[in-house]
Amino acid sequence: PRPQRPFTEYNVFFRLERELLLQGESDTSDDLEKRSKAEQKILSSGKEIESSDLAAHRPRQYRHLIMPTDWFIVGSKNKSASTKLYLGDSPPNIMSSEAALVGKQKETRAKFTFLELTKLISSRWREVCKNDPVTKEFCNKIASKEAARYKAELEEYRHKYGAEA
């Protein structure tokens, strides 16, 4: 199949902000329970959890989030991801998914409608563009490396199937 287009800076930011809203921003028992459920959901889907070493490269407000190793890759539900985006060629230090749960967790009722979520995150993006160069640079770095990966996959695809493909 043709390679899927990569996430933009905004898409990367959206993924982070959505998880921040779902998992909470503090260490209250309620937020810790949400993160535990997020971890169970990731493991039950057969994915691995991003290590704390890799999470440490995220902007401060996102470091506590429980995320799969391939959270920044389009279509990652169907393929494994390279975690080299953070640390260059260093091998990833990923937690084992041996303790994966057998049953899948069902999502609880949504806190926000999709429209509310979109408006909230887009307003936060405007603030990031104005006042938070660290977060913007992080999102740009991931989006740029994913764009380069996409370009290489697309070249390979065109070489294999022809320029019109």
Side-chain angles (χ1 to χ4, degrees):
R2 186 180 176 98
Q4 294 183 324
R5 292 182 184 268
F7 285 137
T8 64
E9 278 179 270
Y10 178 75
N11 297 134
V12 171
F13 177 76
F14 190 96
R15 299 278 305 239
L16 289 168
E17 283 291 316
R18 180 181 176 277
E19 286 303 317
L20 188 64
L21 290 168
L22 290 174
Q23 294 182 31
E25 300 180 35
S26 66
D27 284 334
T28 64
S29 61
D30 188 44
D31 286 350
L32 292 173
E33 185 179 325
K34 289 176 190 173
R35 280 185 224 125
S36 175
K37 286 181 181 179
E39 184 175 345
Q40 291 172 359
K41 184 177 178 181
I42 292 166
L43 293 174
S44 69
S45 69
K47 292 187 175 197
E48 294 176 328
I49 294 173
E50 188 173 59
S51 72
S52 56
D53 291 342
L54 292 176
H57 291 274
R58 294 188 215 138
R60 187 178 326 120
Q61 67 270 32
Y62 305 115
R63 289 181 187 153
H64 68 280
L65 296 176
I66 307 296
M67 306 278 277
T69 55
D70 57 358
W71 66 267
F72 49 83
I73 298 180
V74 173
S76 62
K77 292 179 181 176
N78 302 324
K79 60 184 174 184
S80 63
S82 166
T83 55
K84 292 182 180 180
L85 289 183
Y86 288 123
L87 303 174
D89 292 323
S90 300
N93 178 16
I94 299 168
M95 292 181 210
S96 172
S97 63
E98 290 175 14
L101 299 174
V102 176
K104 294 200 177 213
Q105 295 284 332
K106 288 193 174 185
E107 282 289 325
T108 57
R109 287 186 139 202
K111 288 175 149 180
F112 305 98
T113 66
F114 184 71
L115 182 60
E116 291 169 336
L117 182 70
T118 304
K119 285 182 178 180
L120 177 62
I121 293 176
S122 67
S123 69
R124 288 183 178 185
W125 177 246
R126 280 191 293 278
E127 289 302 312
V128 162
C129 290
K130 293 177 190 174
N131 304 320
D132 189 354
V134 173
T135 300
K136 185 151 175 32
E137 178 60 31
F138 176 79
C139 295
N140 179 280
K141 178 182 171 185
I142 289 180
S144 297
K145 289 187 177 185
E146 274 298 291
R149 181 197 53 79
Y150 167 74
K151 212 177 220 185
E153 285 181 6
L154 189 60
E155 268 312 305
E156 186 179 311
Y157 177 85
R158 286 184 174 154
H159 179 73
K160 186 174 182 179
Y161 297 105
E164 291 83 38

CSV table of all heavy atoms in Angstrom, one decimal, residues 15-16 18-24 29-50 58 64-71 95 97 99-101 103-108:
chain,number,residue,atom,x,y,z
A,15,ARG,N,-2.1,15.2,19.4
A,15,ARG,CA,-2.0,13.8,20.1
A,15,ARG,C,-1.6,14.0,21.6
A,15,ARG,O,-2.1,13.4,22.5
A,15,ARG,CB,-1.0,12.9,19.4
A,15,ARG,CG,-1.4,12.6,17.9
A,15,ARG,CD,-2.4,11.5,17.8
A,15,ARG,NE,-2.0,10.3,18.4
A,15,ARG,CZ,-1.8,9.1,17.9
A,15,ARG,NH1,-2.0,9.0,16.6
A,15,ARG,NH2,-1.5,8.0,18.6
A,16,LEU,N,-0.6,14.9,21.8
A,16,LEU,CA,-0.1,15.1,23.1
A,16,LEU,C,-1.2,15.7,24.0
A,16,LEU,O,-1.4,15.3,25.1
A,16,LEU,CB,1.1,16.0,23.1
A,16,LEU,CG,2.4,15.4,22.6
A,16,LEU,CD1,3.5,16.4,22.3
A,16,LEU,CD2,2.9,14.3,23.5
A,18,ARG,N,-4.5,15.8,23.6
A,18,ARG,CA,-5.6,14.9,23.8
A,18,ARG,C,-5.3,13.9,25.0
A,18,ARG,O,-6.1,13.7,25.9
A,18,ARG,CB,-5.9,14.1,22.6
A,18,ARG,CG,-7.0,13.1,22.7
A,18,ARG,CD,-7.3,12.4,21.4
A,18,ARG,NE,-8.3,11.4,21.6
A,18,ARG,CZ,-8.2,10.2,22.1
A,18,ARG,NH1,-7.0,9.8,22.5
A,18,ARG,NH2,-9.2,9.3,22.2
A,19,GLU,N,-4.1,13.3,25.0
A,19,GLU,CA,-3.7,12.4,26.1
A,19,GLU,C,-3.6,13.2,27.4
A,19,GLU,O,-3.9,12.7,28.4
A,19,GLU,CB,-2.3,11.8,25.7
A,19,GLU,CG,-2.4,10.7,24.7
A,19,GLU,CD,-3.5,9.6,25.1
A,19,GLU,OE1,-3.5,9.1,26.2
A,19,GLU,OE2,-4.2,9.2,24.2
A,20,LEU,N,-3.1,14.4,27.3
A,20,LEU,CA,-3.1,15.2,28.6
A,20,LEU,C,-4.4,15.4,29.1
A,20,LEU,O,-4.7,15.3,30.4
A,20,LEU,CB,-2.4,16.6,28.3
A,20,LEU,CG,-2.1,17.5,29.4
A,20,LEU,CD1,-1.0,16.8,30.3
A,20,LEU,CD2,-1.6,18.8,28.9
A,21,LEU,N,-5.4,15.7,28.3
A,21,LEU,CA,-6.8,15.9,28.8
A,21,LEU,C,-7.4,14.6,29.3
A,21,LEU,O,-8.1,14.5,30.3
A,21,LEU,CB,-7.7,16.4,27.6
A,21,LEU,CG,-7.4,17.9,27.3
A,21,LEU,CD1,-8.1,18.2,26.0
A,21,LEU,CD2,-7.8,18.8,28.4
A,22,LEU,N,-7.1,13.5,28.6
A,22,LEU,CA,-7.6,12.2,29.0
A,22,LEU,C,-6.9,11.6,30.3
A,22,LEU,O,-7.6,11.0,31.1
A,22,LEU,CB,-7.4,11.1,27.9
A,22,LEU,CG,-8.3,11.3,26.7
A,22,LEU,CD1,-7.9,10.3,25.6
A,22,LEU,CD2,-9.8,11.2,27.0
A,23,GLN,N,-5.6,11.8,30.4
A,23,GLN,CA,-4.9,11.3,31.6
A,23,GLN,C,-4.8,12.2,32.7
A,23,GLN,O,-4.4,11.8,33.8
A,23,GLN,CB,-3.5,10.8,31.1
A,23,GLN,CG,-3.6,9.7,30.1
A,23,GLN,CD,-2.2,9.2,29.8
A,23,GLN,OE1,-1.2,9.3,30.5
A,23,GLN,NE2,-2.0,8.7,28.5
A,24,GLY,N,-5.0,13.5,32.5
A,24,GLY,CA,-4.9,14.4,33.6
A,24,GLY,C,-3.5,15.1,33.7
A,24,GLY,O,-2.6,14.6,33.1
A,29,SER,N,-5.1,11.1,42.9
A,29,SER,CA,-5.4,9.7,42.7
A,29,SER,C,-6.2,9.4,41.5
A,29,SER,O,-6.1,8.4,40.8
A,29,SER,CB,-6.0,9.1,44.0
A,29,SER,OG,-7.3,9.8,44.2
A,30,ASP,N,-7.1,10.3,41.2
A,30,ASP,CA,-8.0,10.2,40.0
A,30,ASP,C,-7.1,10.2,38.7
A,30,ASP,O,-7.3,9.4,37.8
A,30,ASP,CB,-9.0,11.3,39.9
A,30,ASP,CG,-10.1,11.1,38.9
A,30,ASP,OD1,-10.5,10.0,38.7
A,30,ASP,OD2,-10.4,12.1,38.2
A,31,ASP,N,-6.2,11.1,38.6
A,31,ASP,CA,-5.3,11.2,37.4
A,31,ASP,C,-4.4,10.0,37.3
A,31,ASP,O,-4.1,9.5,36.2
A,31,ASP,CB,-4.5,12.5,37.4
A,31,ASP,CG,-5.4,13.7,37.0
A,31,ASP,OD1,-6.6,13.5,36.6
A,31,ASP,OD2,-4.9,14.8,37.1
A,32,LEU,N,-3.9,9.5,38.5
A,32,LEU,CA,-3.1,8.3,38.5
A,32,LEU,C,-3.8,7.1,38.0
A,32,LEU,O,-3.3,6.3,37.3
A,32,LEU,CB,-2.4,8.1,39.9
A,32,LEU,CG,-1.4,9.2,40.3
A,32,LEU,CD1,-1.0,8.9,41.8
A,32,LEU,CD2,-0.2,9.2,39.4
A,33,GLU,N,-5.1,7.0,38.4
A,33,GLU,CA,-5.9,5.9,37.9
A,33,GLU,C,-6.2,6.0,36.4
A,33,GLU,O,-6.1,5.0,35.7
A,33,GLU,CB,-7.3,6.0,38.7
A,33,GLU,CG,-8.2,4.8,38.3
A,33,GLU,CD,-9.5,4.9,39.1
A,33,GLU,OE1,-9.5,5.4,40.2
A,33,GLU,OE2,-10.5,4.5,38.5
A,34,LYS,N,-6.3,7.2,35.9
A,34,LYS,CA,-6.5,7.4,34.4
A,34,LYS,C,-5.2,6.9,33.7
A,34,LYS,O,-5.3,6.3,32.7
A,34,LYS,CB,-6.8,8.9,34.1
A,34,LYS,CG,-8.1,9.4,34.5
A,34,LYS,CD,-8.2,10.8,34.3
A,34,LYS,CE,-9.5,11.4,34.9
A,34,LYS,NZ,-9.5,12.9,34.7
A,35,ARG,N,-4.1,7.3,34.2
A,35,ARG,CA,-2.8,6.8,33.6
A,35,ARG,C,-2.7,5.3,33.7
A,35,ARG,O,-2.2,4.7,32.7
A,35,ARG,CB,-1.6,7.5,34.3
A,35,ARG,CG,-1.5,8.9,33.7
A,35,ARG,CD,-0.3,9.6,34.2
A,35,ARG,NE,-0.8,11.0,34.5
A,35,ARG,CZ,-0.6,11.6,35.7
A,35,ARG,NH1,0.0,11.0,36.6
A,35,ARG,NH2,-1.1,12.7,35.9
A,36,SER,N,-3.1,4.7,34.8
A,36,SER,CA,-3.1,3.3,34.9
A,36,SER,C,-3.9,2.6,33.9
A,36,SER,O,-3.6,1.6,33.2
A,36,SER,CB,-3.5,2.9,36.3
A,36,SER,OG,-3.6,1.5,36.4
A,37,LYS,N,-5.1,3.2,33.6
A,37,LYS,CA,-6.0,2.7,32.6
A,37,LYS,C,-5.4,2.8,31.2
A,37,LYS,O,-5.5,2.0,30.4
A,37,LYS,CB,-7.4,3.3,32.7
A,37,LYS,CG,-8.2,2.9,33.9
A,37,LYS,CD,-9.6,3.6,33.9
A,37,LYS,CE,-10.4,3.1,35.1
A,37,LYS,NZ,-11.7,3.8,35.2
A,38,ALA,N,-4.7,4.0,31.0
A,38,ALA,CA,-4.1,4.2,29.7
A,38,ALA,C,-3.0,3.2,29.5
A,38,ALA,O,-2.9,2.6,28.4
A,38,ALA,CB,-3.5,5.6,29.6
A,39,GLU,N,-2.3,2.8,30.5
A,39,GLU,CA,-1.2,1.8,30.4
A,39,GLU,C,-1.8,0.5,30.1
A,39,GLU,O,-1.3,-0.3,29.2
A,39,GLU,CB,-0.4,1.8,31.7
A,39,GLU,CG,0.7,0.8,31.7
A,39,GLU,CD,1.6,0.9,33.0
A,39,GLU,OE1,1.4,1.8,33.8
A,39,GLU,OE2,2.4,-0.1,33.2
A,40,GLN,N,-2.9,0.1,30.8
A,40,GLN,CA,-3.6,-1.2,30.5
A,40,GLN,C,-4.1,-1.3,29.1
A,40,GLN,O,-4.0,-2.3,28.4
A,40,GLN,CB,-4.7,-1.4,31.5
A,40,GLN,CG,-4.3,-1.6,32.9
A,40,GLN,CD,-5.5,-1.6,33.9
A,40,GLN,OE1,-6.6,-1.4,33.5
A,40,GLN,NE2,-5.2,-1.8,35.2
A,41,LYS,N,-4.6,-0.2,28.6
A,41,LYS,CA,-5.1,-0.1,27.2
A,41,LYS,C,-4.0,-0.3,26.2
A,41,LYS,O,-4.2,-1.1,25.3
A,41,LYS,CB,-5.8,1.2,27.0
A,41,LYS,CG,-6.5,1.3,25.6
A,41,LYS,CD,-7.2,2.6,25.5
A,41,LYS,CE,-7.8,2.7,24.1
A,41,LYS,NZ,-8.5,4.0,23.9
A,42,ILE,N,-2.9,0.3,26.4
A,42,ILE,CA,-1.7,0.1,25.5
A,42,ILE,C,-1.3,-1.3,25.5
A,42,ILE,O,-1.1,-1.9,24.5
A,42,ILE,CB,-0.6,1.1,25.9
A,42,ILE,CG1,-1.0,2.6,25.6
A,42,ILE,CG2,0.7,0.8,25.1
A,42,ILE,CD1,-0.1,3.6,26.3
A,43,LEU,N,-1.0,-1.8,26.7
A,43,LEU,CA,-0.5,-3.2,26.8
A,43,LEU,C,-1.5,-4.2,26.3
A,43,LEU,O,-1.1,-5.2,25.6
A,43,LEU,CB,-0.2,-3.5,28.3
A,43,LEU,CG,1.0,-2.7,28.9
A,43,LEU,CD1,1.1,-3.0,30.3
A,43,LEU,CD2,2.3,-3.0,28.1
A,44,SER,N,-2.8,-4.0,26.5
A,44,SER,CA,-3.8,-5.0,26.0
A,44,SER,C,-3.9,-4.9,24.5
A,44,SER,O,-4.4,-5.9,23.9
A,44,SER,CB,-5.2,-4.7,26.7
A,44,SER,OG,-5.7,-3.5,26.2
A,45,SER,N,-3.5,-3.9,23.9
A,45,SER,CA,-3.5,-3.8,22.4
A,45,SER,C,-2.3,-4.4,21.8
A,45,SER,O,-2.1,-4.4,20.6
A,45,SER,CB,-3.6,-2.3,21.9
A,45,SER,OG,-2.5,-1.6,22.2
A,46,GLY,N,-1.4,-5.0,22.6
A,46,GLY,CA,-0.2,-5.6,22.1
A,46,GLY,C,1.0,-4.7,21.9
A,46,GLY,O,2.0,-5.1,21.3
A,47,LYS,N,0.8,-3.4,22.2
A,47,LYS,CA,1.9,-2.4,22.0
A,47,LYS,C,2.8,-2.3,23.2
A,47,LYS,O,2.5,-2.9,24.3
A,47,LYS,CB,1.3,-1.1,21.7
A,47,LYS,CG,0.6,-1.0,20.4
A,47,LYS,CD,0.2,0.4,20.1
A,47,LYS,CE,-0.4,0.5,18.8
A,47,LYS,NZ,-0.5,1.8,18.3
A,48,GLU,N,3.9,-1.6,23.1
A,48,GLU,CA,4.8,-1.4,24.1
A,48,GLU,C,4.7,0.0,24.6
A,48,GLU,O,4.4,0.9,23.8
A,48,GLU,CB,6.2,-1.7,23.7
A,48,GLU,CG,6.4,-3.2,23.4
A,48,GLU,CD,7.8,-3.5,22.9
A,48,GLU,OE1,8.4,-2.6,22.2
A,48,GLU,OE2,8.3,-4.6,23.1
A,49,ILE,N,5.0,0.3,25.9
A,49,ILE,CA,4.9,1.6,26.4
A,49,ILE,C,6.2,2.3,26.3
A,49,ILE,O,7.3,1.7,26.5
A,49,ILE,CB,4.5,1.5,27.9
A,49,ILE,CG1,3.1,1.0,28.1
A,49,ILE,CG2,4.6,2.9,28.6
A,49,ILE,CD1,2.7,0.7,29.5
A,50,GLU,N,6.1,3.6,25.9
A,50,GLU,CA,7.3,4.4,25.7
A,50,GLU,C,8.1,4.5,27.1
A,50,GLU,O,7.5,4.7,28.1
A,50,GLU,CB,6.9,5.8,25.2
A,50,GLU,CG,8.1,6.6,24.8
A,50,GLU,CD,7.6,7.9,24.2
A,50,GLU,OE1,6.8,8.7,24.8
A,50,GLU,OE2,8.0,8.1,23.0
A,58,ARG,N,10.3,14.7,26.0
A,58,ARG,CA,9.1,15.5,25.7
A,58,ARG,C,9.2,16.8,26.5
A,58,ARG,O,9.8,16.9,27.5
A,58,ARG,CB,7.9,14.8,26.1
A,58,ARG,CG,7.6,13.5,25.4
A,58,ARG,CD,6.2,13.0,25.8
A,58,ARG,NE,6.1,11.6,25.7
A,58,ARG,CZ,5.6,10.8,26.6
A,58,ARG,NH1,4.9,11.3,27.7
A,58,ARG,NH2,5.6,9.5,26.5
A,64,HIS,N,4.9,13.1,32.0
A,64,HIS,CA,4.2,12.1,32.8
A,64,HIS,C,3.2,11.2,32.1
A,64,HIS,O,2.7,10.2,32.6
A,64,HIS,CB,3.4,12.8,34.0
A,64,HIS,CG,2.3,13.6,33.5
A,64,HIS,ND1,2.4,14.8,32.9
A,64,HIS,CD2,1.0,13.3,33.5
A,64,HIS,CE1,1.2,15.3,32.6
A,64,HIS,NE2,0.3,14.4,32.9
A,65,LEU,N,2.9,11.5,30.8
A,65,LEU,CA,1.9,10.8,30.1
A,65,LEU,C,2.4,9.4,29.7
A,65,LEU,O,3.5,9.2,29.4
A,65,LEU,CB,1.5,11.6,28.8
A,65,LEU,CG,0.9,12.9,28.9
A,65,LEU,CD1,0.7,13.6,27.6
A,65,LEU,CD2,-0.4,12.8,29.7
A,66,ILE,N,1.4,8.5,29.8
A,66,ILE,CA,1.7,7.1,29.4
A,66,ILE,C,1.3,7.0,27.9
A,66,ILE,O,0.1,7.2,27.5
A,66,ILE,CB,0.9,6.1,30.2
A,66,ILE,CG1,1.1,6.3,31.7
A,66,ILE,CG2,1.1,4.7,29.8
A,66,ILE,CD1,2.4,6.1,32.2
A,67,MET,N,2.3,6.7,27.0
A,67,MET,CA,2.1,6.7,25.6
A,67,MET,C,2.7,5.4,25.0
A,67,MET,O,3.7,4.9,25.5
A,67,MET,CB,2.7,7.9,24.9
A,67,MET,CG,2.3,9.3,25.5
A,67,MET,SD,0.8,9.9,24.9
A,67,MET,CE,1.3,10.6,23.3
A,68,PRO,N,2.1,4.9,23.9
A,68,PRO,CA,2.8,3.8,23.2
A,68,PRO,C,4.0,4.3,22.5
A,68,PRO,O,4.2,5.5,22.3
A,68,PRO,CB,1.7,3.3,22.2
A,68,PRO,CG,0.8,4.5,22.0
A,68,PRO,CD,0.9,5.3,23.3
A,69,THR,N,4.9,3.4,22.2
A,69,THR,CA,6.2,3.9,21.5
A,69,THR,C,6.0,4.5,20.2
A,69,THR,O,6.8,5.3,19.7
A,69,THR,CB,7.1,2.7,21.3
A,69,THR,OG1,6.4,1.7,20.6
A,69,THR,CG2,7.6,2.1,22.7
A,70,ASP,N,4.9,4.2,19.5
A,70,ASP,CA,4.6,4.7,18.2
A,70,ASP,C,3.5,5.8,18.1
A,70,ASP,O,2.9,6.0,17.1
A,70,ASP,CB,4.3,3.5,17.2
A,70,ASP,CG,3.1,2.8,17.7
A,70,ASP,OD1,2.5,3.1,18.8
A,70,ASP,OD2,2.7,1.8,17.0
A,71,TRP,N,3.4,6.5,19.2
A,71,TRP,CA,2.3,7.5,19.2
A,71,TRP,C,2.3,8.6,18.1
A,71,TRP,O,1.3,9.1,17.8
A,71,TRP,CB,2.2,8.1,20.6
A,71,TRP,CG,3.4,9.0,21.0
A,71,TRP,CD1,4.5,8.6,21.6
A,71,TRP,CD2,3.5,10.4,20.7
A,71,TRP,NE1,5.3,9.7,21.8
A,71,TRP,CE2,4.8,10.8,21.2
A,71,TRP,CE3,2.7,11.3,20.0
A,71,TRP,CZ2,5.3,12.1,21.1
A,71,TRP,CZ3,3.2,12.6,19.9
A,71,TRP,CH2,4.5,13.0,20.4
A,95,MET,N,9.7,-0.6,27.9
A,95,MET,CA,9.2,-1.5,28.9
A,95,MET,C,8.6,-2.7,28.2
A,95,MET,O,7.9,-2.6,27.2
A,95,MET,CB,8.1,-0.8,29.7
A,95,MET,CG,8.6,0.3,30.6
A,95,MET,SD,7.2,1.0,31.5
A,95,MET,CE,7.8,2.7,31.7
A,97,SER,N,6.1,-5.7,27.3
A,97,SER,CA,4.6,-5.8,27.3
A,97,SER,C,4.2,-7.2,27.7
A,97,SER,O,3.1,-7.7,27.4
A,97,SER,CB,4.1,-5.5,25.9
A,97,SER,OG,4.5,-6.4,25.0
A,99,ALA,N,3.3,-8.3,30.5
A,99,ALA,CA,2.2,-8.2,31.4
A,99,ALA,C,0.9,-7.7,30.7
A,99,ALA,O,0.0,-7.2,31.3
A,99,ALA,CB,2.5,-7.3,32.5
A,100,ALA,N,0.8,-7.9,29.4
A,100,ALA,CA,-0.3,-7.4,28.6
A,100,ALA,C,-1.6,-8.0,29.1
A,100,ALA,O,-1.6,-9.2,29.4
A,100,ALA,CB,-0.1,-7.6,27.1
A,101,LEU,N,-2.6,-7.2,29.2
A,101,LEU,CA,-3.9,-7.8,29.6
A,101,LEU,C,-4.6,-8.5,28.5
A,101,LEU,O,-4.4,-8.2,27.3
A,101,LEU,CB,-4.8,-6.6,30.0
A,101,LEU,CG,-4.3,-5.8,31.2
A,101,LEU,CD1,-5.2,-4.6,31.4
A,101,LEU,CD2,-4.2,-6.6,32.4
A,103,GLY,N,-8.1,-9.0,28.1
A,103,GLY,CA,-9.3,-8.3,27.7
A,103,GLY,C,-9.0,-6.9,27.3
A,103,GLY,O,-8.1,-6.3,27.9
A,104,LYS,N,-9.8,-6.3,26.4
A,104,LYS,CA,-9.7,-4.9,26.1
A,104,LYS,C,-10.5,-4.0,27.0
A,104,LYS,O,-11.7,-4.4,27.3
A,104,LYS,CB,-10.0,-4.7,24.6
A,104,LYS,CG,-9.1,-5.4,23.7
A,104,LYS,CD,-9.2,-4.8,22.3
A,104,LYS,CE,-8.2,-5.4,21.4
A,104,LYS,NZ,-7.6,-4.6,20.5
A,105,GLN,N,-10.0,-2.9,27.4
A,105,GLN,CA,-10.7,-2.0,28.2
A,105,GLN,C,-11.7,-1.1,27.3
A,105,GLN,O,-11.3,-0.7,26.2
A,105,GLN,CB,-9.8,-1.0,28.9
A,105,GLN,CG,-8.9,-1.7,29.9
A,105,GLN,CD,-9.6,-2.0,31.2
A,105,GLN,OE1,-10.6,-1.3,31.5
A,105,GLN,NE2,-9.2,-3.0,31.9
A,106,LYS,N,-12.9,-0.9,27.8
A,106,LYS,CA,-13.8,0.0,27.0
A,106,LYS,C,-13.6,1.4,27.5
A,106,LYS,O,-13.3,1.7,28.7
A,106,LYS,CB,-15.2,-0.5,27.2
A,106,LYS,CG,-15.5,-1.7,26.5
A,106,LYS,CD,-17.0,-1.9,26.5
A,106,LYS,CE,-17.3,-3.1,25.7
A,106,LYS,NZ,-18.7,-3.3,25.5
A,107,GLU,N,-13.7,2.3,26.5
A,107,GLU,CA,-13.6,3.7,26.9
A,107,GLU,C,-14.8,4.2,27.7
A,107,GLU,O,-15.9,3.7,27.5
A,107,GLU,CB,-13.6,4.6,25.6
A,107,GLU,CG,-12.2,4.6,24.9
A,107,GLU,CD,-11.2,5.4,25.6
A,107,GLU,OE1,-11.5,6.4,26.3
A,107,GLU,OE2,-10.0,5.0,25.6
A,108,THR,N,-14.6,5.0,28.7
A,108,THR,CA,-15.7,5.6,29.4
A,108,THR,C,-16.2,6.7,28.6
A,108,THR,O,-15.7,7.1,27.6
A,108,THR,CB,-15.2,6.1,30.8
A,108,THR,OG1,-14.2,7.0,30.6
A,108,THR,CG2,-14.7,4.9,31.6
